[in-house]
């Protein structure tokens, strides 16, 4: 089989890339070893996070770092035996999180964040996925008045970005979420961010986008990305339907992208932040209407089609280490103090891997040493949010169109 472009990876980034290439007139084969949306794209908190204009930086506060060092936090956990393995990435991440570098990262990511809603809206409408998406924002909740006041002040500092928000006291919070505990022992207030959208099934959203790609004539094949090889001309990959060749190939494999670029000689410092989720039923009379982030404990409670999804913060460990449920269990104990969760839906937690670069922005663009090879990975916590926007940018670069944003901050050769 021949095509114009092979896209490796059927997560939200790969599927979005394939759709945009298709809309620009390219014939595309989308290759993955499993069904669309079955990896990292399945397991997130379901936020199309228009309000996260400042990337998630490594903490610069000594108090916070020391708290994490004790390894008793629910938002960050590490495996001591893997510290040497993750230390080089963490050191680079810490350096890139200086105030100056964080400003650079913020400016770099802003165009993709700003385009996140409009790019998703176009695909949501044409794929018939409106039943999965709500436009009522999410809630950042606090137990400490001091932390709430600091967050309100920080939010005021983002006024130039034009983000809509409402500060909630216990009474107005309870009007939105009557069965979430407020007051003594509960949340003292919150910030309701209004611009983001929430997705009730991120994996299904990706599958709807993939079905749109197929309806438009795209080919979705099961194959092994590790078989990618240079052909004459272009690239080839082995699939269950036979070999596929194309002049261009896109690596959009999320956390597995390193298996390709390292073999081809690229030294890109891709790191992995692991995370967990589990779904829970709700007892009769208990409800959750919005995604709520416990900002002090670092977990998210989000209403999903499968139940209430509890997602953890970050676990630093070797990507292939088996599931360690302690972080999720810690978050569950805290969450049950605020919302009476029922029984877990799954027998075991789901483990996912976020692909991260230390400078807090993805790699989007040409591979500098191989003609026809393109990269689109490393979206960290915002793969769902900016997947369609980064897919549009990559498609414009592949087809020689004028890119809608400056691609320079995402170049693959920016690392030294």
């Amino acid at each position: 089989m021949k095509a114009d472009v092979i896209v490796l990876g059927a997560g939200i980034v790969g599927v979005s890339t394939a759709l945009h290439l298709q809309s620009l007139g390219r014939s595309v084969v989308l290759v993955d070893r499993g069904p669309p949306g079955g990896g990292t794209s399945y397991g997130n908190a379901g936020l199309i996070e228009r309000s996260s204009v400042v990337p998630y930086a490594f903490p610069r506060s000594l108090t916070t770092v020391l708290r994490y060092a004790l390894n008793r936090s629910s938002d960050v956990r590490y495996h001591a035996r893997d510290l040497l393995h993750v230390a080089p990435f963490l050191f680079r991440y810490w350096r890139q999180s200086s105030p100056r570098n964080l400003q650079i990262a913020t400016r770099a990511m802003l165009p993709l964040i700003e385009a996140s809603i409009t790019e998703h809206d176009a695909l949501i409408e044409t794929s018939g996925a409106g039943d999965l998406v709500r436009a009522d924002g999410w809630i950042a909740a606090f137990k400490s008045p001091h932390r709430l006041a600091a967050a309100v002040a920080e939010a005021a500092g983002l006024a130039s970005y034009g983000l809509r928000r409402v500060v909630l006291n216990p009474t107005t919070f309870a009007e939105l979420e009557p069965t979430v505990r407020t007051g003594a022992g509960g949340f003292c207030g919150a910030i309701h961010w209004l611009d983001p959208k929430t997705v009730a099934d991120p994996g299904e959203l990706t599958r709807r986008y993939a079905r749109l790609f197929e309806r438009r004539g795209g080919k979705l094949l099961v194959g092994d990305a590790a078989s990618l090889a240079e052909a004459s001309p272009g690239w080839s990959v082995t699939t269950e339907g036979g070999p596929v060749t194309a002049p261009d190939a896109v690596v959009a494999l999320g956390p597995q992208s390193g298996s390709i670029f390292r073999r081809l000689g690229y030294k890109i410092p891709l790191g992995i932040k692991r995370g967990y989720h589990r779904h829970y039923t709700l007892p009769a009379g208990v409800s959750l209407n919005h995604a709520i982030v416990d900002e002090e404990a670092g977990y998210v409670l989000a209403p999903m089609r499968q139940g209430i999804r509890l997602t953890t913060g970050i676990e630093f460990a070797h990507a292939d280490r088996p599931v360690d449920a302690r972080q999720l269990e810690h978050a569950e104990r805290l969450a049950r103090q605020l919302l009476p969760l029922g029984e877990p839906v799954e027998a075991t937690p789901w483990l996912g891997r976020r692909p991260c670069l230390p400078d807090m922005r993805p790699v989007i663009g040409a591979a500098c040493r191989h003609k026809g090879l393109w990269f689109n990975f490393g979206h960290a916590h915002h793969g769902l949010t900016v997947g369609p926007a980064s897919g549009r940018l990559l498609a414009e670069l592949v087809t020689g169109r004028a890119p809608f944003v400056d691609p320079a901050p995402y170049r693959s050769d920016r690392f030294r």
Side-chain angles (χ1 to χ4, degrees), residues 227-236 263-264 369-371:
S227 68
L228 182 71
E230 291 184 83
S232 182
W235 298 87
S236 69
R263 174 166 58 85
L264 295 173
R369 295 197 300 274
H370 291 81
K371 183 179 179 181

Side-chain angles (χ1 to χ4, degrees), residues 156-379:
L158 303 177
S160 62
Y161 297 106
L163 300 171
R164 297 176 299 137
R165 67 192 186 282
V166 175
V167 177
L168 304 175
N169 59 35
T171 300
T172 53
F173 192 133
E175 291 172 357
L176 294 177
E177 297 291 350
T179 58
V180 175
R181 186 175 184 180
T182 57
F187 293 124
C188 68
I191 300 173
H192 185 188
W193 295 98
L194 302 174
D195 296 288
K197 294 189 175 184
T198 56
V199 181
D201 190 336
E204 176 61 18
L205 181 72
T206 304
R207 289 189 288 274
R208 300 273 182 98
Y209 289 179
R211 288 198 285 272
L212 173 63
F213 167 73
E214 291 186 287
R215 288 199 302 271
R216 290 176 170 176
K219 298 295 184 182
L220 176 59
L221 300 177
V222 175
D224 183 4
S227 68
L228 182 71
E230 291 184 83
S232 182
W235 298 87
S236 69
V237 67
T238 302
T239 75
E240 290 185 355
V244 180
T245 61
D248 293 291
V250 179
V251 178
L253 291 164
Q256 285 79 43
S257 298
S259 64
I260 303 298
F261 70 71
R262 293 188 187 102
R263 174 166 58 85
L264 295 173
Y266 292 87
K267 296 182 179 180
I268 300 172
L270 184 69
I272 302 298
K273 295 179 182 177
R274 299 184 3 149
Y276 297 87
H277 85 227
R278 202 173 194 181
H279 296 98
Y280 299 82
T281 60
L282 286 181
V286 178
S287 63
L288 185 69
N289 303 315
H290 300 78
I292 295 179
V293 179
D294 185 334
E295 292 284 358
E296 295 174 64
Y299 63 84
V300 182
L301 288 168
M304 297 277 176
R305 296 202 303 178
Q306 303 96 321
I308 300 302
R309 179 176 290 185
L310 171 63
T311 67
T312 68
I314 299 163
E315 181 189 54
F316 288 112
H318 195 283
D320 297 327
R321 187 164 296 286
V323 168
D324 182 340
R326 284 177 291 181
Q327 187 180 32
L328 184 71
E329 291 166 353
H330 187 185
E332 180 185 334
R333 288 193 294 271
L334 296 173
R336 287 187 180 279
Q337 298 173 16
L338 301 163
L339 182 72
L341 297 171
E343 294 299 312
V345 174
E346 302 93 350
T348 57
W350 180 87
L351 167 63
R353 298 160 179 85
R354 306 175 184 98
C356 305
L357 278 306
D359 59 1
M360 295 162 283
R361 51 188 181 271
V363 171
I364 307 172
C368 57
R369 295 197 300 274
H370 291 81
K371 183 179 179 181
L373 182 64
W374 304 84
F375 294 149
N376 197 357
F377 58 80
H379 296 77

